[in-house]
Amino acid sequence: MRDAEYMKQALKLARRGLGRTSPNPMVGAVIVKNDRVIGQGYHHHYGGKHAETNAIQNANESIAGATLYVTLEPCCHHGKTPPCTDAIIQHNIGRVVIGTLDPNPQVNGKSVTQLKQQGIETEVGVLTDTCRDLNEAHFKHMTTGLPLVTLKFAQTLDGRIATSTGDSQWISSVPFRQLAHRLRAASDAVMVGVDTVLADNPRLTVRLIKGRNPSRIVLDSRLRTPLDAGVVQNREAAPTIIATTSQADEKKVAHLRKAGIEIVATRQDKAGKVDLKQLLGILGKRGISSVLVEGGTGVITSFLRQNLADKAVIAIAPKIMGQGLAAVGELDIREVNQVLKLSFEKIYRVAEDLVIEVRISPAPD
């Protein structure tokens, strides 16, 4: 059997939907008959046809008795499109090979049961880990209600993200900044603290590559964001949410709302800042399944201290700064056995920068 080979082909197709399918997952499908691929497709964008439907419609001959390879369990409920299981049954597909079950409670195992009840040979578990990793944001969102959180920053070899005067442009190379924009385009939202807005006045849009603009979120417990800030002035480019607390001035709230900015108030954490966990819950309920956190130091440190970050993408530039602003601040670690543990996922070069992608393990209690 060449199940793994055909599933790899389906995964390759699924990745074409990166940054366009959320809040739906990325899915790819391949139809094989007599050891020949006769149809293939993927989920192009949210609201569009699902991968299975596209593969069926793209088939160049009858698919009766064929095998369907699909990276994620087909849907069995009505949403933006009809159930994919109905199409599979109607076209007399003989066998279905599924990479992994869908954690969506409307689906999770139900489609497999339905297909088996119709006499269709159905198997689950081919390249399962790869299929899950492809949609890790979907899996976290569906199982916890919270978005996947990725920290992204560039630092010097000695761990600085800015000089002592606050100058930070540019530590990383242009190619890494292009990578950073790809990360933005693949995320539902990009998040910074108000200090970054005041220091750099970023637009937080996708410019160095082609891609969609994510929602923009500013953490601003006292509502210091200027009315002429880039995230306020170019509001047509992408929605902007400012997360604040009861410390915010009501007149400033009214001015920002009049400018088209959404204000979301959370309770204060122990430091009087925006409660990040509550905010992530709010974002999750809105269907935001992935957040790219771009700093600065205070925001990065808060996410790490509160065990709210899942991953990090770090560029290490071949530069030494000496005294300057550290990427990570005080984590209240007093013993080595309290440190945050990381799992290296990828290490590679982008121009002169070394890029490290890590998964962050929760800190011990």
Side-chain angles (χ1 to χ4, degrees), residues 255-325:
H255 285 309
L256 285 166
R257 284 179 171 157
K258 188 175 181 180
I261 305 303
E262 182 177 0
I263 307 296
V264 172
T266 74
R267 57 180 171 259
Q268 298 179 43
D269 64 12
K270 293 178 181 179
K273 305 292 186 180
V274 170
D275 188 297
L276 294 177
K277 188 166 186 179
Q278 183 185 8
L279 176 60
L280 291 176
I282 292 170
L283 298 177
K285 289 178 180 177
R286 295 180 174 207
I288 291 176
S289 62
S290 58
V291 175
L292 182 68
V293 178
E294 297 197 4
T297 297
V299 175
I300 293 169
T301 303
S302 293
F303 271 94
L304 291 174
R305 186 189 297 123
Q306 297 178 47
N307 293 321
L308 295 175
D310 301 289
K311 303 175 66 177
V313 179
I314 306 163
I316 300 177
K319 302 171 183 177
I320 291 178
M321 187 175 290
Q323 292 296 318
L325 188 63

Side-chain angles (χ1 to χ4, degrees), residues 343-358:
S343 300
F344 291 113
E345 293 196 324
K346 293 181 183 178
I347 301 175
Y348 52 95
R349 286 275 299 274
V350 173
E352 67 266 26
D353 299 324
L354 178 67
V355 181
I356 302 176
E357 297 186 16
V358 298

Side-chain angles (χ1 to χ4, degrees), residues 181-199:
H181 280 237
R182 283 199 293 273
L183 292 173
R184 282 184 187 177
S187 303
D188 291 340
V190 57
M191 180 183 293
V192 298
V194 66
D195 287 340
T196 296
V197 172
L198 294 173

Side-chain angles (χ1 to χ4, degrees), residues 105-320:
Q106 292 182 290
V107 183
N108 198 6
K110 296 181 177 68
S111 296
V112 174
T113 299
Q114 183 181 351
L115 293 173
K116 287 183 176 180
Q117 287 174 343
Q118 293 296 317
I120 298 173
E121 181 184 351
T122 306
E123 300 175 29
V124 181
V126 176
L127 301 183
T128 301
D129 290 345
T130 308
C131 290
R132 286 177 63 96
D133 288 347
L134 176 70
N135 286 301
E136 58 182 338
H138 174 71
F139 274 79
K140 183 184 180 185
H141 185 227
M142 283 295 163
T143 55
T144 68
L146 301 175
L148 184 82
V149 175
T150 301
L151 309 180
K152 188 278 298 179
F153 55 92
Q155 65 175 45
T156 60
L157 188 60
D158 54 345
R160 307 302 181 189
I161 63 171
T163 67
S164 57
T165 63
D167 182 29
S168 62
Q169 297 182 339
W170 295 97
I171 287 175
S172 60
S173 62
V174 171
F176 177 75
R177 297 202 292 276
Q178 290 173 329
L179 171 62
H181 280 237
R182 283 199 293 273
L183 292 173
R184 282 184 187 177
S187 303
D188 291 340
V190 57
M191 180 183 293
V192 298
V194 66
D195 287 340
T196 296
V197 172
L198 294 173
D200 300 333
N201 194 24
R203 286 176 282 176
L204 301 180
T205 53
V206 175
R207 301 181 303 280
L208 301 183
I209 64 159
K210 290 183 66 175
R212 66 162 185 171
N213 289 326
S215 295
R216 301 171 295 193
I217 302 169
V218 178
L219 302 174
D220 188 357
S221 57
R222 290 182 287 135
L223 215 55
R224 293 184 291 145
T225 301
L227 291 172
D228 61 354
V231 292
V232 176
Q233 290 299 308
N234 70 338
R235 57 188 178 276
E236 296 84 7
T240 297
I241 299 170
I242 297 181
T244 191
T245 67
S246 58
Q247 300 178 76
D249 179 79
E250 287 300 322
K251 290 184 179 179
K252 185 73 171 288
V253 170
H255 285 309
L256 285 166
R257 284 179 171 157
K258 188 175 181 180
I261 305 303
E262 182 177 0
I263 307 296
V264 172
T266 74
R267 57 180 171 259
Q268 298 179 43
D269 64 12
K270 293 178 181 179
K273 305 292 186 180
V274 170
D275 188 297
L276 294 177
K277 188 166 186 179
Q278 183 185 8
L279 176 60
L280 291 176
I282 292 170
L283 298 177
K285 289 178 180 177
R286 295 180 174 207
I288 291 176
S289 62
S290 58
V291 175
L292 182 68
V293 178
E294 297 197 4
T297 297
V299 175
I300 293 169
T301 303
S302 293
F303 271 94
L304 291 174
R305 186 189 297 123
Q306 297 178 47
N307 293 321
L308 295 175
D310 301 289
K311 303 175 66 177
V313 179
I314 306 163
I316 300 177
K319 302 171 183 177
I320 291 178

Side-chain angles (χ1 to χ4, degrees), residues 319-341:
K319 302 171 183 177
I320 291 178
M321 187 175 290
Q323 292 296 318
L325 188 63
V328 180
E330 177 58 56
L331 294 177
D332 300 321
I333 292 172
R334 297 294 176 262
E335 299 177 8
V336 173
N337 62 7
Q338 296 176 317
V339 301
L340 291 178
K341 294 183 179 180

Side-chain angles (χ1 to χ4, degrees), residues 31-33 38 61-67 90-95:
I31 300 173
V32 177
K33 191 172 186 179
I38 62 171
E61 62 180 83
S62 170
I63 63 174
T67 297
Q90 290 167 7
H91 286 84
N92 298 313
I93 288 176
R95 179 173 177 251

